[in-house]
Amino acid sequence: MKFRTMSQVSSFSNATLYGMGQAGASPAAGLPGGLELWRALGKVVLFALPLALALMLTLGAVKADLERAMEAGEVHQQQLIDDNIQLLAQRAGLYAPERVSRVAADKLSLYAAAPGQIERIN
């Protein structure tokens, strides 16, 4: 409320002089950028903060699932490597000359030729 007199112009009322502020005055009026900017920023934060929190929780759950899947894949890969080693050892045992001779003798009645049994004809 402004008072005008012939001798002076005052922008203070009696209430301001006695320590009471004006009804229209806002303590946030001194904020940098203005009150409208801070209200808009508050709305954005109120929308973005829960969205970001939900996104972080979702990504954390997905990460945990991926880690479990990777661990299971690594265990399966190690088991396949062990099985491969066993199969290679079994294959090497099957192709061993002693075993081939023994199986040929047992199942097919084939024996290695003794010296003097093989004759060469030209």
Side-chain angles (χ1 to χ4, degrees):
M1 182 174 190
K2 294 186 179 182
F3 294 102
R4 291 186 181 239
T5 62
M6 298 280 246
S7 63
Q8 64 179 345
V9 176
S10 173
S11 64
F12 295 107
S13 67
N14 289 336
T16 304
L17 293 174
Y18 294 115
M20 294 183 283
Q22 295 178 355
S26 171
L31 290 174
L35 186 60
E36 291 180 15
L37 172 72
W38 289 98
R39 281 186 183 161
L41 186 63
K43 289 178 185 178
V44 169
V45 167
L46 285 176
F47 174 73
L49 189 63
L51 183 64
L53 188 61
L55 183 64
M56 288 173 56
L57 288 173
T58 304
L59 289 177
V62 168
K63 178 186 171 201
D65 289 344
L66 286 175
E67 286 178 349
R68 278 194 296 270
M70 287 178 62
E71 288 176 7
E74 288 174 358
V75 167
H76 184 66
Q77 180 185 12
Q78 187 61 43
Q79 185 175 1
L80 289 175
I81 290 172
D82 293 343
D83 290 346
N84 190 32
I85 290 171
Q86 289 177 347
L87 290 173
L88 288 174
Q90 185 179 6
R91 179 177 158 193
L94 289 174
Y95 288 126
E98 298 85 23
R99 184 176 186 289
V100 170
S101 297
R102 189 181 77 230
V103 169
D106 292 344
K107 294 191 177 187
L108 301 174
S109 298
L110 296 176
Y111 297 98
Q117 287 183 330
I118 300 176
E119 295 181 13
R120 297 186 187 230
I121 301 174
N122 287 335

